[in-house]
Amino acid sequence: QVQLVESGGGLVQAGDSLRLSCAASGRTFSSYTVAWFRQAPGKEREFVAAISWSGTSTHYADSVKGRSTISRDNAKNTVYLQMSRLNPEDTAVYYCAAESRYHFGAGSDFESQYDYWGQGTQVTVSS
């Protein structure tokens, strides 16, 4: 069992940067692939970024590629999502998710792959 708690969301202005954190409980967190998803009002939840258990592999959605970095500190049981050049289209509730059943790869952007989810943190970007 893994419990995930997101933090770091808030109200920012367009062009600002933000770092989200996903803190996990559980001794085996270092064996989990972790991803960030987001859900904007009236829209379906969408993939943002994922990182392998070791941190050596990452995968990003086109919408955030080049301006976002996902990283992890397994000693702290925490995964981070650093986002820069934020724009109003980034406004959403951001969720982290974890799974340990699959090898990291193209499927890491599928919601159905993830077994554990946090409650989410709101990010609002004003224009």
Side-chain angles (χ1 to χ4, degrees):
Q1 280 280 353
V2 174
Q3 292 185 325
L4 305 172
V5 178
E6 303 93 337
S7 62
L11 174 63
V12 298
Q13 292 189 338
D16 284 352
S17 298
L18 200 64
R19 189 177 80 161
L20 305 180
S21 299
C22 173
S25 63
R27 294 178 297 167
T28 60
F29 177 68
S30 60
S31 65
Y32 284 76
T33 291
V34 177
W36 287 93
F37 289 80
R38 67 186 181 185
Q39 187 167 22
K43 296 186 177 181
E44 293 187 352
R45 190 155 54 185
E46 64 176 7
F47 170 78
V48 177
I51 189 166
S52 62
W53 67 269
S54 63
T56 56
S57 297
T58 57
H59 177 48
Y60 296 92
D62 289 343
S63 59
V64 303
K65 192 177 297 182
R67 61 185 183 94
S68 297
T69 301
I70 188 171
S71 61
R72 68 190 299 161
D73 185 340
N74 285 338
K76 296 183 177 179
N77 276 7
T78 303
V79 170
Y80 305 97
L81 180 67
Q82 177 75 43
M83 301 182 70
S84 62
R85 303 195 306 276
L86 288 162
N87 59 72
E89 289 68 40
D90 294 315
T91 295
V93 177
Y94 284 71
Y95 300 89
C96 66
E99 67 86 14
S100 63
R101 294 178 289 146
Y102 300 93
H103 291 293
F104 187 86
S108 61
D109 54 351
F110 294 161
E111 274 193 59
S112 58
Q113 181 165 297
Y114 294 88
D115 301 308
Y116 304 102
W117 292 81
Q119 294 299 307
T121 184
Q122 176 71 47
V123 173
T124 303
V125 185
S126 64
S127 58

